[in-house]
Amino acid sequence: MADILAQKPLDGKKIVLGVTGGIAAYKAVEVVSRLRKAGAEVHVIMTRAAQDFVTELTFREISGQAVTTSMWEKVTQHKVEHIALANLADLMLVVPATANFLAKAAAGLADDMLTTTLLATQAPVFLAPAMNTNMYENPVTQKNLRELAARGFHLIEPASGLLACGVTGKGRLPEPVDIVAQVISFCAKERDLLGRKILVTAGGTREPLDPVRYLGNRSTGRMGYAIAQAAAARGAKVVLVSGPSALPVPSGVRRVSVETAREMREAVLREFDDADAVIKAAAVADYRPKNVAANKIKKSEGEFTLVLERNPDILWELGQKKRQQVLVGFAAETTKLEEYARGKLAKKNLDFIVANDVSRADAGFAVDTNCAKLFMRDGTVHDCPLTSKAELAGIILDHVRECLP
Ligand code: C5P
């Protein structure tokens, strides 16, 4: 680790580090020290309670910067506005994050400098929860953590062990070296897709039945949009072929809007040849109505039979055409997750497949969280426990990056 720090992996980064009032606040001192050794400029904000554990002077000395302790003090360096630090931050980190702070963050409160800065910043935010095990496991804390994860906050998993309160369990702040390692690895991959073209499909297709009706599915596009956004942020040129979706186009992404599976196929094939990777998060209808009525179908007594015909399997076709491209598929299943996922991986000639159990309430369609298993071509499996779609997008792109030539 010492060597890594000497390479200054955080050179030029401005990090705002929040310290809240937990016994682990003293460990934040070492976090600041390591961040500085790694080249970062660190600005510390302390809550009122944090100052009962560690003095402002300690952080001022170790960071080499003025420390913010109140909203109302005479600001020396940051030109007064309470959002100055929020704007300045390339990354925000809260060490330790107490249960009280997490509750305020989840609720969007802004009653001190730290919560105000958190609400105002657009920088990526890392939170390192640390507290008594019972407080950590309390359903309301867990609910707040899920809420924060769903909003894209990066949660640093607490460690287990003997806590200061004498209890043994989960809730310990991880070692400063591990916290800083997570920040470094996050920053390292910031532009690792520069110069790559990534084609992402998202949303569900709509297969018309008549001029007013269609067959569709529950996909909202959130997973695919999160991937497109993350890939663009990492420097890729991103084309997002999307079925109808209410989501805004992520910045730096070119969206091609389609409705049917056949339109999606055409758009994808047009963009395929020079793509480096294709990530097919779209929920493509396997069937379409054989006949599309020119006029609205009128109701009549008795049953109505709809004849469906097969849609092209776009991903299978890409698997046949594939040259250098990395191909990633999705498998949303309600049963036999592993068996079906491995079958599709082989049949469609993929590099890996992201499989999720859509029968869970907190994963799959129309929620901000997901949990998935990544089945790789070489037989390895990566388990991604419940996390935000933004975080899962990052994990998927890490694997794409590894598969790229
Ligand atoms: O076979 P299944 O539909 O479950 O496979 C899912 C994967 O295949 C997804 O990545 C989806 O985008 C893609 N797919 C496709 N064309 C279809 C059906 C699915 O590209 N007609």
Side-chain angles (χ1 to χ4, degrees):
M1 189 69 191
D3 288 339
I4 295 174
L5 296 186
Q7 290 165 18
K8 304 274 177 221
L10 300 178
D11 203 22
K13 291 266 174 239
K14 295 187 171 69
I15 296 182
V16 170
L17 184 122
V19 186
T20 69
I23 186 67
Y26 74 95
K27 288 193 185 172
V29 178
E30 192 185 337
V31 171
V32 175
S33 161
R34 286 183 172 274
L35 291 171
R36 278 197 80 192
K37 283 186 190 138
E41 179 182 302
V42 186
H43 298 268
V44 176
I45 303 176
M46 300 178 77
T47 62
R48 172 81 273 299
Q51 296 163 56
D52 289 335
F53 290 91
V54 186
T55 67
E56 178 225 337
L57 179 65
T58 309
F59 281 110
R60 193 180 348 135
E61 288 301 316
I62 210 86
S63 70
Q65 302 283 345
V67 170
T68 307
T69 50
S70 141
M71 290 250 266
W72 318 116
E73 70 203 7
K74 192 164 155 273
V75 180
T76 46
Q77 271 187 318
H78 303 303
K79 294 206 244 84
V80 188
E81 318 95 89
H82 52 280
I83 50 161
L85 282 171
N87 290 338
L88 166 143
D90 294 315
L91 185 138
M92 238 185 116
L93 177 63
V94 181
V95 183
T98 57
N100 178 56
F101 166 79
L102 294 171
K104 290 205 285 183
L109 291 184
D111 65 348
D112 62 11
M113 193 60 159
L114 181 56
T115 45
T116 304
T117 306
L118 187 75
L119 207 54
T121 195
Q122 293 195 314
V125 179
F126 280 75
L127 305 175
M131 66 202 72
N132 159 275
T133 305
N134 291 342
M135 291 173 82
Y136 181 72
E137 286 173 356
N138 191 306
V140 73
T141 304
Q142 289 299 315
K143 177 180 141 294
N144 290 333
L145 287 167
R146 274 197 305 277
E147 165 79 32
L148 291 163
R151 295 212 313 253
F153 289 88
H154 302 270
L155 300 177
I156 298 179
E157 188 82 3
S160 294
L162 180 64
L163 305 180
C165 52
V167 174
T168 302
K170 197 163 180 182
R172 257 172 75 97
L173 190 76
E175 292 310 313
V177 62
D178 296 325
I179 294 174
V180 173
Q182 288 200 34
V183 172
I184 290 174
S185 94
F186 176 83
C187 293
K189 64 188 179 208
E190 267 189 337
R191 307 291 288 172
D192 65 350
L193 296 173
L194 196 67
R196 304 290 193 164
K197 174 177 170 183
I198 302 211
L199 178 56
V200 183
T201 70
T205 60
R206 286 182 182 175
E207 307 298 331
L209 198 53
D210 69 15
V212 295
R213 303 183 180 96
Y214 59 83
L215 295 184
N217 58 64
R218 293 183 191 281
S219 172
T220 57
R222 276 188 243 190
M223 191 63 239
Y225 277 61
I227 295 169
Q229 182 169 10
R234 285 162 74 161
K237 179 176 154 194
V238 182
V239 180
L240 175 64
V241 177
S242 171
S245 168
L247 298 171
V249 188
S251 78
V253 168
R254 176 158 65 87
R255 178 167 69 181
V256 179
S257 297
V258 298
E259 285 229 345
T260 65
R262 285 186 291 180
E263 285 170 16
M264 181 169 280
R265 175 180 174 274
E266 272 171 43
V268 165
L269 290 179
R270 263 199 311 275
E271 301 289 344
F272 182 64
D273 284 344
D274 63 343
D276 292 288
V278 183
I279 305 172
K280 284 221 80 238
V284 187
D286 293 321
Y287 294 93
R288 63 172 177 268
K290 188 171 166 81
N291 299 306
V292 180
N295 295 309
K296 186 178 171 192
I297 300 168
K298 305 304 287 179
K299 61 175 158 297
S300 55
E301 293 309 315
E303 290 179 345
F304 175 80
T305 305
L306 192 59
V307 180
L308 302 176
E309 64 185 359
R310 275 299 304 262
N311 262 332
D313 188 326
I314 309 165
L315 194 51
W316 178 85
E317 205 173 327
L318 299 184
Q320 304 298 302
K321 277 173 72 81
K322 162 182 155 94
R323 284 174 292 107
Q324 81 291 352
Q325 293 93 343
V326 173
L327 278 192
V328 182
F330 274 70
E333 308 292 350
T334 52
T335 54
K336 296 190 192 162
L337 184 72
E338 173 155 4
E339 183 185 328
Y340 287 143
R342 286 196 196 276
K344 285 173 194 176
L345 174 74
K347 183 171 159 232
K348 303 193 188 202
N349 191 20
L350 307 177
D351 291 86
F352 66 92
I353 191 155
V354 183
N356 51 28
D357 178 353
V358 287
S359 62
R360 284 177 61 132
D362 51 6
F365 293 129
V367 287
D368 282 323
T369 47
N370 214 345
C371 67
K373 280 195 165 113
L374 272 50
F375 294 92
M376 313 302 289
R377 185 194 270 278
D378 67 6
T380 52
V381 186
H382 300 282
D383 223 335
C384 309
L386 190 65
T387 178
S388 67
K389 286 186 174 171
E391 190 112 22
L392 181 59
I395 296 170
I396 292 168
L397 291 173
D398 291 346
H399 288 286
V400 166
R401 177 70 197 83
E402 274 172 26
C403 295
L404 283 168

